[in-house]
Amino acid sequence: MEVAKLTDVTRIYKIGEVETRALNGISLTIQDGEFTSLVGPSGSGKTTLLQLIGCLDQPTSGRVVIVGKETTNLSRNQRADLRKGTIGFVFQFFALIPTLTAYENVEMPLLLNGKSASERKQRVMELLEAVDMTDRAHHRPDQLSGGQQQRVAVARALAPAPKMILADEPTANLDTENGEQVMEIMKRLNKETDTTFVFATHDPRVIKYATRVVTLRDGVIEKD
Amino acid sequence: MNYLKMAYRNLGRHRRRSMLSALALGLGTALLMFIAAFFQGEMRGSMETTLRLNTGHLQVSNTEYDPDKLSVAWEYLIEKPDQAAAKIETLEPVRAATPRLVASGIVSVRDESAGVQIMGIDPASPANEPYQTLVDGEFLTADDRSGVLIGYPLAESLNLKVGDSLQLLVNTSDGDVDEQQFTVRGIFTTGTSAYDKGVVFLPLAKAQSFSGAENRASYIFVLLHDREQAEAVASAIQGQNLRIRTWTEMNELLVLVNDFSNAYLTFINLIVLGVTATVIVNTLLMSVFERTREIGILTAIGMKGRQVIALFLAEAALLGMAGIAFGAAVGWAVSAYLGRVGVYFGDLGISGEMLLEDRIYPYLTLESAINLIVTAFVITLLASLYPARMASRMEPVEALHSAQ
């Protein structure tokens, strides 16, 4: 099954009079259960591509279909709805909500999906255990190391059981050991839950885990 | 994890800033509550004083009587006032009805003099109770033929003591003047200097003979148990050549000022609350800008626009509740304390239709307190819609970019 299908997608950023062509006619299909790396130097369009797959942004032209649903004409709220159950995000910076504990951060997407209290509790504990964070469940982000925060972020991304997780440079701010640990966890979860993972990265440590590597350069796919 | 809990923690991130904004709202609320209490106390006091001392709830007079003239010419006066008063007093809503004769006159002591109202009263009537608070001496008796009661400020200015003599000059019924010597029996105070300095009391019988009014009076002064009954009682009183005026007719200006004061208070409320609302808006705007990335994360994981609005409104609501609760408590406490001891203003020099006591007692009604609290809260929330909507409209990509 195709979780994401991009057809001839172009994204142009316009800042003042200057147009930047971040993506230039890209077509890409991502299948269910992939563990794919988008690689390329900075400025090659990795992050933009990831944001388009994640419905965080819309293409200037071309079509983006996510789990069979055309996203081009969706409103902001409709896109939020689509993201909510389908796509999880892991960001480069440790994007946890600072006022919430690890537990509450993981719980948040479940709340937004309207899950019951007992369902939430069970799911959160299950996920915290999967990322080995059970003993730190009630710590706030500022009491956690970078690696620990990123593991919580992975758990949060997985919480609503999405089809696909998009990770933008997930190891960029981690040391080797923590980076490896996060990748191991993601790899294991990919196998166990069959969730699709797509990374934007230029970290060789991440690339070596990937089952598919898509190389971008100047807004086009150079190698797949 | 609900919005209020998240909001509470978000406010806790900048505790001092949150407290200062809540404090601004609190001080505004306290100030407004005190202003409302002060205004209402003033209006209420003024109305009560004016009714009690000046006009009563009803006045029954001859149709020809002109209250501004103080003439005791017979054609202006009411005949057999005792009978009429006794009859009115039998009506159930009436607390007291008593004849009064008012003439203009001059008090002179040695080479000093002062223009006064000479008022003949029935010393036994409960309607004259406000004049029975004496600084010195005794109250009048009905058969006293040479005693007068004067107010404290008049006694001060003419340097009179109980037992001293004074000359009283009166404009009589036949258009002439008469002059007699009287003795100060007592010195009274009503708490309203403007009133006390301009009136000299005599027993009604003496006033009638002194002014030549004989068995007549200027009007019958009527007090009711409930002033709202004035119209009903007025229509129940019948008699030829009688004119009945209610307190609302006699105090048009005061009634008008009273009504106007509510509009005035609402206006002040809106101005002050508008200012405090900008403080809250500013605080929320700062937090929206600081938390741009966070809002991006929340929208990325599926939070919708209206949920973002709810989150920020929850913060405004908490700030608002804390500030308003604090302000209402302070405002209430100050109003209650000053309401008991009063605020001394002295003789404001206002006389005539509107009388003010020398002390104003702030008085807070539950209605105006609730009104203020609700208005303050609603304004805070309405003002907060602006930053909240701004947060909700951030595109997740841009929000996330701003962090990197």
Side-chain angles (χ1 to χ4, degrees):
Chain A
M1 190 195 150
E2 292 165 356
V3 265
K5 186 176 170 62
L6 282 70
T7 314
D8 200 19
V9 166
T10 298
R11 179 68 172 100
I12 299 166
Y13 291 110
K14 212 172 166 183
I15 300 164
E17 293 298 307
V18 184
E19 281 192 356
T20 312
R21 207 168 264 266
L23 293 178
N24 196 358
I26 279 194
S27 293
L28 176 71
T29 304
I30 291 168
Q31 299 288 341
D32 207 5
E34 277 188 24
F35 202 74
T36 298
S37 241
L38 306 175
V39 301
S42 47
S44 60
K46 308 187 294 286
T47 299
T48 307
L49 184 56
L50 211 56
Q51 283 166 346
L52 288 175
I53 301 172
C55 301
L56 289 173
D57 195 8
Q58 289 191 299
T60 312
S61 68
R63 291 176 61 208
V64 178
V65 177
I66 302 298
V67 287
K69 200 165 180 187
E70 170 75 53
T71 65
T72 323
N73 296 315
L74 295 182
S75 74
R76 188 168 44 206
N77 273 341
Q78 286 170 321
R79 281 185 280 137
D81 261 339
L82 179 61
R83 281 199 296 273
K84 212 159 61 177
T86 318
I87 304 164
F89 292 92
V90 177
F91 299 97
Q92 171 183 358
F93 50 89
F94 316 123
L96 300 179
I97 305 299
T99 50
L100 304 183
T101 63
Y103 182 97
E104 289 162 342
N105 264 288
V106 179
E107 191 185 20
M108 181 54 80
L110 296 172
L111 265 171
L112 293 171
N113 271 314
K115 293 278 188 286
S116 76
S118 58
E119 270 180 292
R120 294 201 303 264
K121 185 163 187 191
Q122 200 198 335
R123 182 82 179 133
V124 173
M125 292 317 291
E126 191 181 300
L127 286 162
L128 286 175
E129 199 177 333
V131 298
D132 195 21
M133 286 294 296
T134 314
D135 56 333
R136 302 237 135 199
H138 298 292
H139 287 64
R140 300 249 177 113
D142 59 6
Q143 298 163 320
L144 301 174
S145 74
Q148 289 170 332
Q149 287 186 48
Q150 200 61 310
R151 274 143 60 192
V152 175
V154 171
R156 181 179 66 188
L158 277 165
K163 286 262 174 282
M164 172 167 58
I165 288 187
L166 305 175
D168 191 1
E169 311 256 9
T171 56
N173 290 316
L174 297 178
D175 59 28
T176 309
E177 195 192 330
N178 276 304
E180 299 257 332
Q181 203 178 3
V182 168
M183 288 313 296
E184 288 290 349
I185 286 170
M186 291 206 264
K187 185 75 191 172
R188 175 163 54 81
L189 291 168
N190 167 250
K191 281 192 182 130
E192 286 171 7
T193 62
D194 214 23
T195 310
T196 310
F197 279 78
V198 181
F199 309 93
T201 187
H202 47 240
D203 183 348
R205 294 171 301 175
V206 176
I207 301 169
K208 78 178 187 208
Y209 284 92
T211 52
R212 177 183 174 193
V213 177
V214 178
T215 310
L216 289 157
R217 182 176 292 276
D218 299 329
V220 294
I221 294 176
E222 192 183 62
K223 203 169 89 188
D224 189 352
Chain B
M1 194 70 218
N2 56 36
Y3 293 120
L4 283 179
K5 201 161 149 194
M6 267 185 98
Y8 177 74
R9 291 193 196 165
N10 281 329
L11 292 174
R13 286 192 204 179
H14 296 278
R15 203 160 297 159
R16 193 181 334 179
R17 185 168 84 195
S18 301
M19 270 167 57
L20 283 175
S21 337
L23 188 66
L25 183 58
L27 290 179
T29 308
L31 177 73
L32 289 173
M33 198 162 269
F34 179 71
I35 290 177
F38 185 80
F39 248 68
Q40 276 162 344
E42 185 186 348
M43 292 315 301
R44 185 169 168 260
S46 171
M47 184 66 91
E48 271 178 12
T49 306
T50 307
L51 296 186
R52 199 162 48 99
L53 299 179
N54 226 14
T55 65
H57 295 129
L58 289 171
Q59 280 185 17
V60 180
S61 62
N62 190 307
T63 40
E64 300 299 316
Y65 180 70
D66 179 353
D68 296 330
K69 274 190 183 161
L70 299 183
S71 167
V72 288
W74 287 3
E75 67 261 35
Y76 295 128
L77 301 183
I78 182 168
E79 306 275 343
K80 295 180 186 159
D82 293 327
Q83 282 174 31
K87 208 170 148 194
I88 293 168
E89 224 166 17
T90 61
L91 294 171
E92 217 223 314
V94 176
R95 194 170 83 208
T98 182
R100 284 185 179 173
L101 181 67
V102 191
S104 66
I106 295 169
V107 181
S108 53
V109 183
R110 295 173 296 276
D111 52 354
E112 289 193 75
S113 64
V116 292
Q117 279 187 17
I118 297 169
M119 192 179 290
I121 57 169
D122 172 8
S125 172
N128 297 320
E129 181 257 311
Y131 315 121
Q132 291 182 20
T133 307
L134 301 178
V135 179
D136 198 8
E138 284 164 14
F139 194 60
L140 298 169
T141 54
D143 54 0
D144 195 335
R145 286 291 172 273
S146 62
V148 294
L149 191 66
I150 61 169
Y152 179 70
L154 186 65
E156 283 282 282
S157 69
L158 295 177
N159 206 9
L160 285 167
K161 290 184 182 55
V162 172
D164 286 355
S165 295
L166 54 80
Q167 289 294 121
L168 203 53
L169 195 84
V170 69
N171 290 305
T172 61
S173 295
D174 52 16
D176 214 342
V177 290
D178 196 0
E179 188 173 11
Q180 272 183 37
Q181 187 169 345
F182 288 87
T183 306
V184 177
R185 287 277 183 264
I187 297 171
F188 72 92
T189 175
T190 61
T192 302
S193 308
Y195 185 82
D196 295 354
K197 70 185 178 192
V199 66
V200 171
F201 290 108
L202 269 62
L204 181 63
K206 177 62 190 173
Q208 285 169 331
S209 64
F210 180 35
S211 66
E214 297 191 357
N215 189 26
R216 297 172 184 81
S218 301
Y219 55 82
I220 295 163
F221 180 92
V222 183
L223 288 179
L224 305 176
H225 293 293
D226 174 8
R227 69 186 187 200
E228 299 307 322
Q229 296 283 312
E231 297 292 336
V233 175
S235 56
I237 298 170
Q238 280 160 15
Q240 278 197 316
N241 296 332
L242 290 186
R243 172 156 184 222
I244 299 147
R245 297 189 305 155
T246 62
W247 62 275
T248 46
E249 286 171 68
M250 294 183 283
N251 298 295
E252 274 175 341
L253 177 66
L254 194 53
V255 171
L256 199 73
V257 171
N258 209 350
D259 291 346
F260 184 66
S261 73
N262 286 329
Y264 184 63
L265 277 180
T266 307
F267 190 62
I268 293 184
N269 280 357
L270 292 179
I271 292 175
V272 174
L273 290 173
V275 173
T276 57
T278 58
V279 175
I280 304 274
V281 169
N282 192 34
T283 305
L284 288 181
L285 273 179
M286 272 196 259
S287 38
V288 170
F289 290 131
E290 286 166 0
R291 276 148 58 192
T292 302
R293 186 180 94 177
E294 216 175 297
I295 296 163
I297 296 164
L298 286 169
T299 41
I301 64 174
M303 193 177 253
K304 286 198 205 173
R306 73 185 146 72
Q307 292 169 313
V308 175
I309 291 181
L311 184 59
F312 278 90
L313 284 189
E315 287 177 34
L318 280 183
L319 270 184
M321 281 193 280
I324 293 167
F326 168 75
V330 171
W332 175 81
V334 171
S335 305
Y337 173 72
L338 291 177
R340 194 169 320 146
V341 301
V343 186
Y344 185 74
F345 276 86
D347 182 3
L348 290 174
I350 302 171
S351 58
E353 206 177 329
M354 236 176 105
L355 287 176
L356 273 182
E357 278 192 294
D358 298 352
R359 235 167 224 289
I360 289 172
Y361 296 88
Y363 178 78
L364 191 65
T365 60
L366 188 63
E367 189 198 344
S368 68
I370 289 174
N371 209 340
L372 173 63
I373 287 169
V374 171
T375 311
F377 194 64
V378 169
I379 288 185
T380 304
L381 285 191
L382 283 181
S384 308
L385 272 177
Y386 167 62
R389 288 179 70 96
M390 199 166 106
S392 77
R393 284 181 180 168
M394 284 178 174
E395 284 289 348
V397 177
E398 280 155 34
L400 289 169
H401 267 304
S402 80
Q404 298 171 4

